[in-house]
Amino acid sequence: MRFADELKNAVTPRAAMLVIGVLALQLLFIASYVGALHDPRPKDVAFGVVAPGPAAGQTADKLNKLPGDPLDPRVLKDEATARRQIMHRDIDGALVVDPRGTTDTLLVASGGGTALSRTLTTLLTEVDAAEKRTVKTEDVAAASDKDFNGLSSFYLVVGWCVGGYLCASILAISAGSRASNVPRAIIRLGTMALYSIAGGLGGAIIIGPILGALPGSVMGLWGLGALVVFGVGAITLALQALTGIVGIGLAVLIIVIGGNPSAGGAFPLPMLPAFWKAIGPWLPPGAGTWSARSIAYFEGNALTGPLLVLAAWAVVGVVVTLVLSARRGRPVNGAIDLSGTKYGRTIAP
């Protein structure tokens, strides 16, 4: 009887729902990662074509008709334009046709993801071989030789994201999942901001001066890291303010299950299925990975959009956290002090 009583007390509806929720997250994790990464194929890769006269349009038309639509070709006026657009991340590669010989030049940027640059090299080599031509590949924005497969930026951002939602989760576990009033919410957000500054700097120093895995500005990566960590932490605090401890699971759903496989880390966005390709740029891991690669390899180009995405997550997180905390801390038939108590009785954690 004692065991039965203990079992009855342990297996509450709330506990059962939490276990079911964890199971759902586990299955979604498997479905998301395997769904996104099990069969990467290039699809509508932004690609430039440089050739004299009618040959440019003919080459672009030929590439546009390749099976599976791997390329989205557009004619460019010269090689300098192609190089500039690659460095501005408007295109992922370009073919420069030499009408005076049988060797063409393929421009790629492995700093944006080595899997894509290798795929383009293989694809264009096969296309030119069918025309009795050869391809010479030139890497316009080459990944560091210490950045294997161009993955360092992705792992750096993943680390920042993990730090963000873990710090926010610890704040919830240690002092209640929902801040009981605005001053407490401000303290949590302030703690999150200080943690973000330290975490961003630490990651930038480790990835750069210590390991030499990424080139680029340490200050730039520091600022990016602080924004990523704070954005993820703030939205985690907001989800906890909204749903309580369940908010931690929702943060994992958004950042880990949705964000990581769609971030363009192992395989850049043009190689992902349509769903993950669509959501990746709007989630912190994707926006952060793109930004880190831009800082490291593309002279800081194409940063405005991703930084606005990260800032939006941070702003939404702060606003939702403060609004919900203000509603919880609103006095009812009397005043409430900063400790969350009313006449000595705790009314909110």
Side-chain angles (χ1 to χ4, degrees):
M1 287 296 294
R2 183 176 180 181
F3 176 78
D5 291 339
E6 291 293 336
L7 181 63
K8 182 178 179 181
N9 292 331
V11 185
T12 63
R14 182 174 184 273
M17 290 301 297
L18 288 174
V19 171
I20 293 171
V22 171
L23 176 61
L25 287 178
Q26 172 188 299
L27 298 179
L28 286 170
F29 184 98
I30 295 170
S32 184
Y33 277 73
V34 177
L37 307 177
H38 77 289
D39 187 23
R41 298 173 182 268
K43 179 71 172 179
D44 295 327
V45 178
F47 192 78
V49 175
V50 178
Q58 294 169 2
T59 302
D61 186 60
K62 177 180 64 178
L63 296 177
N64 193 46
K65 294 178 179 178
L66 291 174
D69 298 320
L71 302 178
D72 178 18
R74 67 284 310 267
V75 175
L76 305 177
K77 66 177 182 178
D78 53 32
E79 183 176 340
T81 300
R83 291 175 179 272
R84 184 171 60 253
Q85 289 199 13
I86 289 174
M87 288 305 298
H88 283 83
R89 310 197 73 178
D90 296 322
I91 59 176
D92 296 298
L95 182 67
V96 182
V97 178
D98 181 4
R100 296 168 298 179
T102 59
T103 299
D104 300 326
T105 300
L106 172 65
L107 304 177
V108 297
S110 61
T114 57
L116 180 58
S117 63
R118 285 197 299 262
T119 298
L120 290 176
T121 299
T122 300
L123 178 62
L124 272 299
T125 298
E126 293 174 353
V127 169
D128 263 26
E131 302 289 331
K132 308 298 183 184
R133 300 179 66 83
T134 57
V135 167
K136 175 185 68 175
T137 301
E138 182 178 344
D139 204 337
V140 176
S144 166
D145 57 3
K146 294 183 179 180
D147 182 12
F148 179 73
N149 276 348
L151 290 173
S152 297
S153 54
F154 171 61
Y155 291 136
L156 171 65
V157 173
V158 168
W160 281 332
C161 289
V162 169
Y165 66 72
L166 282 183
C167 181
S169 301
I170 289 172
L171 290 173
I173 293 171
S174 64
S177 58
R178 297 181 175 96
S180 58
N181 49 49
V182 171
R184 287 189 176 188
I186 292 174
I187 290 172
R188 290 188 182 187
L189 289 167
T191 302
M192 195 71 247
L194 293 174
Y195 176 87
S196 301
I197 293 170
L201 177 59
I205 291 175
I206 291 171
I207 203 78
I210 294 179
L211 297 180
L214 281 185
S217 166
V218 172
M219 294 296 292
L221 289 174
W222 179 13
L224 172 63
L227 183 57
V228 170
V229 176
F230 185 76
V232 171
I235 203 66
T236 302
L237 289 174
L239 291 170
Q240 291 169 169
L242 186 64
T243 64
I245 200 69
V246 174
I248 297 175
L250 294 177
V252 170
L253 176 64
I254 294 170
I255 305 302
V256 179
I257 296 175
N260 286 355
S262 65
F267 301 106
L269 292 177
M271 300 185 71
L272 297 180
F275 173 75
W276 287 270
K277 181 179 178 179
I279 68 172
W282 302 101
L283 298 176
T289 298
W290 176 281
S291 299
R293 285 174 171 164
S294 288
I295 292 169
Y297 298 118
F298 295 91
E299 301 176 350
N301 292 316
L303 280 174
T304 302
L307 291 182
L308 286 175
V309 169
L310 293 169
W313 282 98
V315 170
V316 170
V318 169
V319 170
V320 171
T321 299
L322 293 177
V323 168
L324 293 179
S325 299
R327 293 181 61 184
R328 284 175 57 80
R330 187 177 301 160
V332 179
N333 296 326
I336 183 169
D337 65 21
L338 299 187
S339 67
T341 62
K342 179 176 184 292
Y343 303 127
R345 178 174 57 88
T346 300
I347 66 171

